[in-house]
Amino acid sequence: MENKRRRLFVDIETYSSVDITKAGAFKYIESPDFEILLIAYAWDDGPVNVLEMLRADYYGNPIDFDESVYDELQDVEAALLDPKVVKVAHNSAFERAAFTRHLGEDMPPEQWEDTMIMAAYNGLPMSLDAAGAALQLPEQKMKEGKALINYFCKPCKPTITNKGRTRNYPKHAPEKWATFCEYCRRDVEVTQTIYYRLASYPVTDFERQVWALDARINERGVLVDIELARAAIAVDEAFKADHLDELAKLTGLDNPNSVSQLKDWLEGVGLSCESLNKASVADLKKAATDPTTRRVLELRSLLGKTSTKKYEAMVNAAGADSRIRSIAQYYGAGRTGRWAGRLVQLQNLPQNHLDDIGTVREIVRAQDLELLEMLYDSVPDVLSQLIRTALVAKPGHTFLVSDYAAIEARVIAYLAGEQWRLDVFAQGGDIYCSSASQMFKVPVVKHGVNGHLRQKGKVAELACGYGGGVAALKAFGADKMGLTEAEMQDIVDQWGAAPPSIPKHWRAVEQGAKRALAKPGQWVMVLRPDHLPGTPDCVVKYRKDADALRCLLPSGRILTYWGARLDSDGSICFMGQNQTTRKWEKTGTWGGKLVENIVQAFARDCLAVAMVKLDAAGYGIVFHVHDEVVIEAPDGSRWQDAAAIMGEPIDWAPGLLLRGDGYETKFYMKD
């Protein structure tokens, strides 16, 4: 019956003086001058119509809609509010927020479908133009779009030529406006094509529930301590001004912040360098012999630390109620379906290890730079550690922070059938301590005997669990712990010997994927290397269809490797978006990487189940980071209650031992 419901495909073009790239969609739409310029729409796979929606002409006079246009608009608006009509858009969060502002009515996400999410679910790029190009559609998103959006959708700079106007209207460039209307029409046509092209692999019912919850969380947003954020920016500016002034006096340079000028100065005192990056400055400080040069390099090191960009992002994105919204992108990580950060990028916040952090916050709020410099060696480091604490619970509420304990280590042990690791979890042990004990042949206790080795055990778990070597250990910071390459290689070797079932699992998954590629149309089961009582033998299933290699997870969700095939050397390759260049290109993979995708996707699905349960129990999630959920709850609420829900068994993962940890806090921090 679902497929027989009418679908309204829709795309809009809008105007606002707010920079959406810095402030996000909600603040953009909140602007008093926000308005919808064009609405392009189509019913099902029918033709696309475009409605011009300007409230006033370029003289500021109200526009009277033609009666037929008005009736057409009334029909579209009625359909948008009709729960029996399925609304479809690409990146529907924007359309929903815009129509909520336009109509003054809530746009429930449950009534919408999103081709951006369908594309990501099918292993394709999320943007409309990149998804269309990857699918090699006969009609693509128009290239002129960016220039037209800059012309009509943003304020313009007043000049003599444009007679001092600050905004462009259709009558200023009728031909451009006609092309803009066609551009909006084309977007709906591409959206229609993508929708029906991918309809055979729709988002599952449970994932639609998760997606709708994600939309509500993004709309709820999280409160920012704007006073603290602005004070931190002011302190940083004052700190830099003072130290640049000192640097100028010591060097005599006109612009001591200039890399080329400072390099020339250093050469004048006998220190030559290729660059002034963090590592180079540290080496130069060791080589410097006189106090002045050492102080110059120390100042350069301090000034090179960026500590306020996230504060600036918070201030830019905060709405009238000081809450930031749309900070998580559902399915932002295409390989696994994990969330990605947006605007403030909460996924990579610095940790905080300051004592009496509440007092430090008040010193910064008072903008007392002198006291900060008396108490701490590095003001930028202090400001960096306080970034988390700028996210605060609203009055009368507290944050309940709950996360999964060692979720990836639990999942990979569960999938591979690694019994000794599962025994550690069953006995309430710490896997990172146990792993370190195995590697270094000494007892390791968290915050106790040999506790310093725990972090090395954790790094080894994260780096080696998917077949990583020395390079992977370095990526997780092993070299910064003082480990030599020889020691790192020894860790890799010892880790690989400790869990024999996990390397077996890499090979089993790779073989399963290859068998599926060799037998299109057949589901190939991947079995556990070692059977665990009370758990299913089959871990995942692979199947190759005309478009992609599909990996069916225990949750019922599917991971997609578009255009997957066996390369000339027998390895697995597929088409994917390069995470650095954003180009759609051939990508290689192997068993360890496939297992990494499965484990992270499995852990992500555990988090999704927990979020749905927490929401059903009345917990207001304001954001989540990796495997951690942050809830804004009335004062007196207990984190243990939320953590208990996270630790509940999951029906599609029988035998998996989950545990939720957590704490309560008035401002966000790392416990």
Side-chain angles (χ1 to χ4, degrees):
M1 294 297 291
E2 173 70 20
N3 291 331
K4 294 182 179 179
R5 293 171 64 187
R6 295 194 76 190
R7 280 167 171 75
L8 177 69
F9 289 81
V10 64
D11 181 70
I12 59 176
E13 302 301 335
T14 60
Y15 175 88
S16 173
S17 58
V18 172
D19 185 343
I20 195 170
T21 61
K22 293 181 178 179
F26 283 93
K27 192 169 182 180
Y28 172 92
I29 291 168
E30 185 182 77
S31 175
D33 59 11
F34 169 82
E35 67 173 313
I36 296 175
L37 306 178
L38 298 171
I39 300 177
Y41 73 95
W43 286 101
D44 300 315
D45 58 353
V48 181
N49 295 326
V50 179
L51 293 170
E52 299 179 46
M53 295 288 294
L54 279 170
R55 292 193 294 257
D57 63 19
Y58 72 108
Y59 296 112
N61 301 317
I63 292 177
D64 292 324
F65 287 121
D66 179 88
E67 187 172 338
S68 62
V69 174
Y70 180 78
D71 290 343
E72 191 177 355
L73 175 61
Q74 291 283 89
D75 290 343
V76 171
E77 291 178 344
L80 289 168
L81 296 172
D82 187 347
K84 295 188 294 294
V85 173
V86 178
K87 279 70 70 171
V88 184
H90 199 87
N91 188 17
S92 63
F94 183 79
E95 271 75 13
R96 288 181 47 251
F99 283 127
T100 295
R101 165 79 188 272
H102 175 71
L103 296 171
E105 298 280 351
D106 182 41
M107 296 277 121
E110 293 82 2
Q111 297 177 18
W112 289 70
E113 292 181 328
D114 196 322
T115 50
M116 182 176 77
I117 303 307
M118 291 175 68
Y121 192 79
N122 280 273
L124 296 164
M126 298 187 85
S127 69
L128 187 64
D129 55 344
L135 286 168
Q136 300 179 327
L137 302 183
E139 284 195 324
Q140 303 282 334
K141 185 179 177 77
M142 291 170 60
K143 304 290 186 186
E144 302 91 333
K146 186 174 181 180
L148 293 168
I149 287 171
N150 286 335
Y151 189 82
F152 289 114
C153 301
K154 302 176 182 179
C156 63
K157 185 177 180 180
T159 64
I160 295 174
T161 304
N162 70 16
K163 299 181 181 179
R165 71 173 182 265
T166 58
R167 180 175 173 185
N168 296 315
Y169 285 90
K171 288 190 178 181
H172 293 124
E175 290 184 2
K176 285 185 178 180
W177 181 255
T179 305
F180 195 38
C181 292
E182 184 58 31
Y183 166 78
C184 191
R185 181 194 309 276
R186 177 72 63 80
D187 275 5
V188 173
E189 291 172 344
V190 175
T191 300
Q192 286 175 298
T193 306
I194 290 175
Y195 181 88
Y196 289 111
R197 175 74 171 76
L198 300 179
S200 297
Y201 281 90
V203 178
T204 65
D205 289 343
F206 179 74
E207 277 304 306
R208 283 187 51 77
Q209 188 179 356
V210 175
W211 173 68
L213 172 58
D214 168 80
R216 293 303 189 197
I217 292 170
N218 271 323
E219 289 163 7
R220 183 179 297 133
V222 61
L223 186 64
V224 171
D225 186 337
I226 293 293
E227 183 181 345
L228 174 65
R230 288 181 174 148
I233 294 168
V235 167
D236 187 64
E237 289 173 349
F239 173 85
K240 287 181 176 176
D242 287 352
H243 286 69
L244 276 173
D245 184 59
E246 182 185 354
L247 192 55
K249 290 176 180 177
L250 290 173
T251 60
L253 297 175
D254 295 331
N255 180 14
N257 208 29
S258 165
V259 172
S260 60
Q261 287 188 31
L262 191 54
K263 283 170 68 175
D264 289 343
W265 185 88
L266 288 168
E267 286 189 8
V269 296
L271 292 175
S272 179
C273 60
E274 293 294 324
S275 72
L276 287 176
N277 60 28
K278 183 178 179 181
S280 297
V281 171
D283 291 339
L284 289 168
K285 283 169 70 175
K286 294 175 184 176
T289 56
D290 67 285
T292 299
T293 304
R294 281 199 297 270
R295 179 57 179 166
V296 166
L297 290 166
E298 183 182 341
L299 289 169
R300 173 66 192 178
S301 180
L302 287 170
L303 290 167
K305 294 180 179 178
T306 57
S307 55
T308 60
K309 289 194 179 299
K310 287 191 185 293
Y311 290 115
E312 292 167 357
M314 289 178 185
V315 171
N316 288 335
D321 58 359
S322 295
R323 297 181 82 90
I324 54 174
R325 296 174 169 85
S326 281
I327 53 178
Q329 175 61 64
Y330 174 84
Y331 237 96
R335 304 275 193 275
T336 63
R338 279 184 159 184
W339 281 264
R342 293 293 182 264
L343 297 175
V344 183
Q345 292 293 348
L346 300 186
Q347 268 75 358
N348 59 0
L349 291 178
Q351 292 192 6
N352 39 33
H353 303 286
L354 296 167
D355 293 329
D356 201 5
I357 199 166
T359 301
V360 183
R361 291 177 82 251
E362 293 310 310
I363 295 172
V364 172
R365 285 166 69 91
Q367 299 184 34
D368 195 336
L369 176 59
E370 184 178 356
L371 182 55
L372 281 173
E373 291 189 301
M374 286 176 57
L375 295 173
Y376 299 98
D377 293 332
S378 172
V379 169
D381 183 57
V382 171
L383 296 179
S384 181
Q385 291 195 54
L386 288 182
I387 290 171
R388 289 173 181 265
T389 73
L391 303 175
V392 296
K394 66 184 178 182
H397 289 68
T398 191
F399 283 154
L400 307 181
V401 182
S402 185
D403 71 336
Y404 279 123
I407 181 65
E408 286 193 31
R410 291 171 184 266
V411 169
I412 195 169
Y414 173 80
L415 293 175
E418 190 66 72
Q419 190 62 57
W420 77 264
R421 289 169 174 272
L422 294 170
D423 290 343
V424 170
F425 296 125
Q427 295 160 13
D430 186 305
I431 189 61
Y432 303 136
C433 289
S434 297
S435 186
S437 294
Q438 292 255 357
M439 290 188 296
F440 298 106
K441 312 303 184 206
V442 295
V444 178
V445 179
K446 186 176 181 181
H447 304 313
V449 61
N450 297 316
H452 64 286
L453 295 177
R454 180 182 184 273
Q455 186 62 23
K456 295 179 181 180
K458 182 175 183 179
V459 167
E461 286 291 309
L462 296 173
C464 302
Y466 309 120
V470 171
L473 283 169
K474 287 181 178 179
F476 282 98
D479 51 340
K480 296 179 178 63
M481 297 177 187
L483 292 170
T484 65
E485 289 207 5
E487 289 171 326
M488 285 187 260
Q489 185 59 56
D490 188 50
I491 286 175
V492 172
D493 294 340
Q494 291 184 56
W495 192 95
S501 294
I502 291 177
K504 288 182 187 176
H505 187 45
W506 304 335
R507 294 188 288 273
V509 167
E510 182 171 337
Q511 290 165 5
K514 286 182 175 180
R515 286 200 304 272
L517 289 171
K519 298 179 179 180
Q522 297 182 28
W523 283 106
V524 175
M525 294 192 298
V526 177
L527 305 180
R528 273 189 178 82
D530 294 306
H531 178 68
L532 291 173
T535 63
D537 286 333
C538 179
V539 178
V540 295
K541 296 179 182 179
Y542 281 102
R543 179 177 179 271
K544 173 70 168 69
D545 59 33
D547 292 322
L549 177 67
R550 316 281 180 174
C551 175
L552 179 63
L553 299 169
S555 64
R557 188 163 65 92
I558 288 177
L559 303 184
T560 300
Y561 299 86
W562 198 264
R565 59 182 173 82
L566 292 178
D567 213 342
S568 56
D569 62 356
S571 64
I572 300 170
C573 64
F574 63 97
M575 296 301 294
Q577 192 169 48
N578 185 301
Q579 298 305 299
T580 303
T581 66
R582 314 309 295 172
K583 290 183 178 179
W584 183 249
E585 60 189 25
K586 187 175 85 169
T587 304
T589 191
W590 70 287
K593 196 67 182 174
L594 292 170
V595 168
E596 180 181 26
N597 293 166
I598 292 166
V599 170
Q600 292 183 351
F602 193 113
R604 176 265 186 208
D605 290 348
C606 292
L607 180 69
V609 169
M611 287 168 56
V612 169
K613 288 181 178 179
L614 287 165
D615 181 69
Y619 287 100
I621 301 169
V622 289
F623 66 94
H624 49 97
V625 183
H626 302 306
D627 304 308
E628 178 180 80
V629 173
V630 181
I631 296 161
E632 192 173 54
D635 286 341
S637 303
R638 293 169 9 103
W639 70 263
Q640 291 90 343
D641 297 330
I645 292 175
M646 291 191 72
E648 290 177 357
I650 296 176
D651 56 3
W652 45 259
L656 175 64
L657 297 174
L658 295 171
R659 192 185 84 205
D661 287 337
Y663 57 97
E664 297 152 23
T665 177
K666 281 291 186 180
F667 45 80
Y668 184 49
M669 58 182 181
K670 192 71 176 176
D671 187 30

